[in-house]
Amino acid sequence: MKTSLISTSVLALSAALLVSCTNNSGDVPPAEVPVPPMAGDPVEAESTEVAEARAFLERADAELGQMSKEISPIFWEQATNITDETNAAAAEAGARATTLAVSLANESKQFNDVDLPADLARKMQRLQSGVTIPAPSTEGAAEELSQITTGLEATYGTGTFNYKGEDLNLDQLSTIIETSRDPEELQAVWEGWRTVSPPMKDDYARMVEIANEGATELGYDNLKTMWLSKYDMPPEEMATEVDRLWSQVSPLYEELHCYVRAELNEEYGDDVQPATGPIRADLLGNMWSQQWSNIYPLVEPEGLPGQGYNLTDELVAADYDAIEMVETAEAFFVSLGLDPLPQTFWERSMIVRPEDREVVCHASAWDLDDEEDVRIKMCTEVNAEDFYTVHHELGHNYYQRAYKDVDYLYKDGAHDGFHEAIGDFIALSITPSYLVDIGLITEDQVPGEEADISLLMNTALDKIAFLPFAITVDSWRWDVLDGTTQPADYNDAWWAKRTQYQGIVPPGPRPADAFDPGAKYHIPGNTPYLRYFLSYIMQFQFHKAACEQAGWDGPLHRCSIYGNEEVGARFNAMMEMGASEPWPDVLETFTGTREMDGSAIIEYFDPLIGYLEEQNEGRSCGWK
Ligand code: X8Z
Ligand code: ZN
C-alpha cells in the first residue's frame, strides 16, 4: 500500500497508517494521561473529556508510529523487488495498516463534539482525514482494497511493450518519446505504453467504490471531499483556491501553448501538427506531455543567443554517475548548513535500476524509522532531468529529517504541496553561475543577459507546461471519486480534461478498452496530484523569499542561494515544524505571506512573457 499523507512511499507509509485501523501491535505501550503544562500561574484543570482525548491521541500516535516502523521495510522490499511473495506481503501489511488507521479515525469521532484545545483538535482532524485510500470497517474490505492497490502498482511497475521485437520498459519507451522526431514512431510508442493500463480499469473502479465507502464511514461525502479536507480550510474553499491559482497562471500557459504549437507546426507540417487547435500529445517530448523541455531544440528562440550549454552533455562530459549526481544534490543542502545524509542512506538507497529484478522505478523518497533511516528509490540516469529529480527526492528526505522530533501525527509536510516543493525550490538555484561554482561548466560558458529568453524558455517548458497537467490529473480523479464520471466514461473524461486544460489530443483514436489515466504512475499508485500543482506555485514563492533574504536584487531566475547558511537556517526552521501548525502559519515563517500566490512564478518568467506575446502576435491562440 503506498499512498499516504504525503508524497510517495515513505510518506505512503504514514498514509497507510493513518489509513487503517484495528489490530494494535502488542508492543505498543499503554498511553498515559499526560500532566498538564506547569507554569507559575495557576493552570485551569483539564476536563475529563479533554484528558481522555489527549490520552487517546497519545495512544493513536504511538500505535501509528509503531505500525509505520513495522510495515515500512515490507513496502520497501516490494517496491525494490516485485515478486508474488513481496506483493502478498505488502498487501497484507497494507491491510493491517489501513485497518489500524481507519479504526483509530473512527474511534476519534467520539470526541467530535468536545471543545478541544487547538493542538488536540488538529490531531483529531489529521487522524480523520489522513488515510489516502480508506477502507470501511466491513469484514474483508481492507484486505480486498489492499490487494487491489498493491496489484495496480505492480502492474504499472512491471509494464512493458514489445516494440520492433523487443520488450521495452517504461524508461526505454520514454527515451524514445523524449528523443525521436519521427511522428510514426512517436505514435507507436505512445500508444504502446498505454497497452499496460486497460487491465487496471475494473480493479480501479472497484477500488473507488470501496474507498468511497471508507470515506463515507469516516463522515465525508466521498473521497474527493476527504482529500480536499487536508488543507486547513473547508474543502469547497480549497477547490476555489485552486481555481484562483490556476487563473493567475493560465494566461502564461496559453501563450506558451500557442508558441510551441506554431514551432511544432513548422517542424512537422499541417498533417502532423495543424497550426490551430490542440497539440498532438506525443510530440511534446514526454510520455504524458507533462514537461516539455526535451523539445527545447525544436522551439529554441530564433535569432537569440542560446543557453550556451546543455546540462545533460555537461554531466556526461564530466563523467558523472548516478551516485555523484546524488552527492552533488546532498552537497547543496549541506552548503545551506544542513547535516550530510547518514551513511545508511548510501548503503540502503536504490539509486540505479537493478538488473536482476523488477522494481517500481518511479522516483520516491522514504523514511523508514522516522529518524535517520531515510532513502531514495530511483532508476537514475545521467541526464538533466534526473539531476533535477535527485534534488526533488532529497528535498523529501531533508524535510523528513527536519521534522523527526515532532509527534508522529505531525510528521508530514505543512501540506502535501510543501513536501513536493522543497527539493524543487532548491533546484531553482541550479543557475549557470552555480554550475560554475561546482565545476560543471566554465566561466566562459555562462550565458550573458541576452540569453535570458532562451534560459527561461527552457525552464518554462517544464514549469509552466506542467501546471495544467497537474490540474488535469486530479480534476479527472475528483470527478471519478465523487461519482460525476462513471467507469464507462473514464477514458473520454480523461481526454476531455486533457483537452480542456492542456489543449492536447491523442495522436489517434483511442481503443474502446483504453484506460489512459492508468498509464500515469500516480493513478495506479494512488498518489494525489494536486500537491504538485501547489508545489509548482509555491516553489517560486519560496525561491523569491529566499532570494530576498539573501539580498539578491537581480532577476529571480539568476538567483542561487547555494552556500547561504542564513537562508538555510530559516528554511530548516520551516521544515522542522512539519505539520504541527496550520500551513498559512508555516508559510508565513519563511515567506512572510499567509497565502499561496502565483505572482512569484509570473515575476520569474516576466521577460519571457513579453517575448511570447510578441511572437504570438497575429496568431490565433487557444484551442477551443
Ligand atoms: O512523482 C513525482 C516525483 C516523486 S514525488 C518524482 N513528480 C511528479 C511526476 O513525476 O509526475 C515530480 C513532478 C511531478
Ligand atoms: Zn515528490
Side-chain angles (χ1 to χ4, degrees):
M1 144 123 235
K2 170 139 209 189
T3 47
S4 92
L5 285 184
I6 325 175
S7 73
T8 45
S9 15
V10 173
L11 308 178
L13 302 181
S14 355
L17 301 188
L18 292 189
V19 189
S20 56
C21 103
T22 61
N23 177 26
N24 318 332
S25 55
D27 29 16
V28 179
E32 285 166 29
V33 180
V35 181
M38 287 183 301
D41 302 331
V43 178
E44 213 179 287
E46 200 165 82
S47 76
T48 314
E49 279 173 318
V50 172
E52 278 171 11
R54 192 183 292 281
F56 163 74
L57 282 168
E58 289 220 335
R59 174 167 62 86
D61 206 81
E63 288 180 2
L64 290 170
Q66 174 66 28
M67 176 65 86
S68 172
K69 287 193 183 67
E70 267 175 45
I71 65 174
S72 300
I74 302 172
F75 289 146
W76 175 266
E77 181 59 28
Q78 187 256 355
T80 57
N81 184 14
I82 308 177
T83 66
D84 289 346
E85 289 72 33
T86 59
N87 282 344
E92 187 278 328
R96 236 177 331 130
T98 301
T99 303
L100 173 66
V102 169
S103 147
L104 289 169
N106 277 321
E107 225 184 303
S108 75
K109 289 195 278 185
Q110 66 183 296
F111 301 104
N112 277 2
D113 298 327
V114 181
D115 190 16
L116 294 172
D119 176 50
L120 301 191
R122 180 168 180 76
K123 283 186 174 162
M124 292 291 181
Q125 150 67 16
R126 291 186 58 75
L127 200 51
Q128 288 176 13
S129 65
V131 181
T132 305
I133 301 290
S137 42
T138 338
E139 181 77 34
E143 287 72 19
E144 184 184 357
L145 192 58
S146 192
Q147 291 278 356
I148 294 177
T149 54
T150 309
L152 287 171
E153 171 128 28
T155 304
Y156 185 94
T158 55
T160 57
F161 171 65
N162 190 289
Y163 182 60
K164 295 189 173 164
E166 228 190 304
D167 279 338
L168 301 187
N169 62 33
L170 176 57
D171 296 349
Q172 295 163 318
L173 296 167
S174 292
T175 301
I176 298 175
I177 296 283
E178 287 157 15
T179 53
S180 172
R181 304 289 180 245
D182 169 357
E184 275 175 33
E185 176 166 71
L186 287 168
Q187 177 166 3
V189 168
W190 187 97
E191 290 174 346
W193 172 244
R194 282 156 181 77
T195 60
V196 303
S197 48
M200 298 175 188
K201 184 179 154 188
D202 290 345
D203 276 347
Y204 192 83
R206 175 69 185 137
M207 180 196 77
V208 169
E209 204 170 71
I210 306 174
N212 264 329
E213 282 170 31
T216 330
E217 188 179 293
L218 290 168
Y220 297 92
D221 291 347
N222 51 57
L223 192 54
K224 170 190 175 184
T225 321
M226 185 165 160
W227 282 14
L228 280 169
S229 296
K230 301 182 197 199
Y231 296 93
D232 296 310
M233 63 176 84
E236 51 295 351
E237 257 175 54
M238 185 57 194
T240 309
E241 266 299 272
V242 176
D243 290 344
R244 179 181 68 80
L245 294 168
W246 171 233
S247 69
Q248 280 186 291
V249 292
S250 59
L252 174 48
Y253 176 69
E254 277 163 34
E255 294 293 342
L256 183 69
H257 178 281
C258 194
Y259 172 82
V260 166
R261 181 180 61 193
E263 299 294 313
L264 292 176
N265 172 251
E266 206 170 288
E267 168 80 17
Y268 290 108
D270 290 345
D271 291 345
V272 173
Q273 178 55 62
T276 57
I279 299 176
R280 223 179 95 159
D282 56 335
L283 305 180
L284 289 162
N286 177 277
M287 185 58 91
W288 307 277
S289 326
Q290 66 180 65
Q291 278 137 330
W292 303 350
S293 64
N294 287 315
I295 58 156
Y296 175 76
L298 299 187
V299 306
E300 191 172 23
E302 270 161 46
L304 290 176
Q307 283 206 106
Y309 62 89
N310 170 311
L311 185 49
T312 298
D313 295 347
E314 300 299 340
L315 288 163
V316 172
D319 223 8
Y320 267 59
D321 61 14
I323 305 288
E324 198 175 353
M325 300 214 318
V326 183
E327 285 169 348
T328 305
E330 179 200 30
F332 199 120
F333 286 89
V334 170
S335 87
L336 300 179
L338 308 184
D339 289 340
L341 292 162
Q343 186 52 32
T344 50
F345 171 91
W346 302 102
E347 291 158 5
R348 298 172 185 169
S349 288
M350 184 194 99
I351 294 176
V352 291
R353 184 194 269 271
E355 282 182 4
D356 57 346
R357 55 189 198 267
E358 306 258 37
V359 299
V360 178
C361 261
H362 190 87
S364 55
W366 297 56
D367 176 6
L368 278 87
D369 66 352
D370 294 324
E371 296 199 16
E372 279 293 302
D373 189 357
V374 292
R375 310 177 192 176
I376 60 170
K377 176 186 66 58
M378 266 185 77
C379 297
T380 317
E381 290 172 20
V382 180
N383 59 38
E385 184 180 335
D386 280 0
F387 191 61
Y388 288 106
T389 304
V390 294
H391 289 76
H392 176 94
E393 297 308 334
L394 289 199
H396 287 305
N397 282 157
Y398 271 97
Y399 206 171
Q400 289 155 348
R401 266 185 131 194
Y403 59 59
K404 73 182 168 49
D405 293 327
V406 299
D407 291 343
Y408 181 78
L409 281 164
Y410 291 153
K411 285 194 208 299
D412 202 350
H415 66 46
D416 52 8
F418 281 69
H419 229 297
E420 298 304 335
I422 299 297
D424 285 13
F425 150 59
I426 295 302
L428 286 176
S429 281
I430 303 177
T431 56
S433 63
Y434 165 71
L435 295 175
V436 173
D437 285 347
I438 63 166
L440 256 182
I441 62 172
T442 54
E443 202 64 76
D444 57 354
Q445 282 177 290
V446 174
E449 227 178 86
E450 336 70 66
D452 275 0
I453 297 297
S454 304
L455 279 169
L456 286 170
M457 180 71 79
N458 201 355
T459 312
L461 289 170
D462 282 340
K463 300 291 183 182
I464 302 298
F466 181 77
L467 296 163
F469 173 72
I471 294 272
T472 297
V473 175
D474 267 5
S475 176
W476 175 83
R477 196 156 33 183
W478 291 339
D479 283 356
V480 166
L481 298 179
D482 77 2
T484 305
T485 299
Q486 291 296 313
D489 302 319
Y490 277 174
N491 215 52
D492 289 348
W494 175 255
W495 282 104
K497 298 280 188 196
R498 296 271 262 170
T499 306
Q500 178 190 344
Y501 290 109
Q502 289 184 273
I504 63 168
V505 285
R510 303 301 297 136
D513 69 344
F515 179 51
D516 296 335
K520 171 65 193 167
Y521 171 75
H522 301 69
I523 299 300
N526 283 309
T527 307
Y529 215 82
L530 174 61
R531 61 189 57 189
Y532 302 108
F533 176 73
L534 303 178
S535 153
Y536 273 54
I537 299 285
M538 287 198 315
Q539 60 191 250
F540 288 90
Q541 283 183 265
F542 291 164
H543 181 67
K544 183 176 173 189
C547 294
E548 275 167 10
Q549 287 164 25
W552 176 259
D553 63 2
L556 281 179
H557 66 278
R558 292 272 182 172
C559 164
S560 177
I561 58 158
Y562 180 61
N564 192 319
E565 294 197 6
E566 200 186 314
V567 172
R570 294 181 62 166
F571 167 56
N572 202 43
M574 169 173 80
M575 293 199 295
E576 281 174 350
M577 295 168 84
S580 62
E581 303 288 341
W583 67 259
D585 294 325
V586 179
L587 185 63
E588 193 173 18
T589 60
F590 188 59
T591 65
T593 171
R594 301 179 58 80
E595 296 228 309
M596 293 185 277
D597 181 13
S599 59
I601 189 171
I602 299 293
E603 180 181 334
Y604 185 100
F605 288 104
D606 184 61
L608 180 70
I609 298 174
Y611 176 80
L612 290 173
E613 283 170 353
E614 215 175 273
Q615 295 295 308
N616 289 332
E617 231 175 75
R619 287 180 184 146
S620 132
C621 293
W623 53 86
K624 309 262 152 52

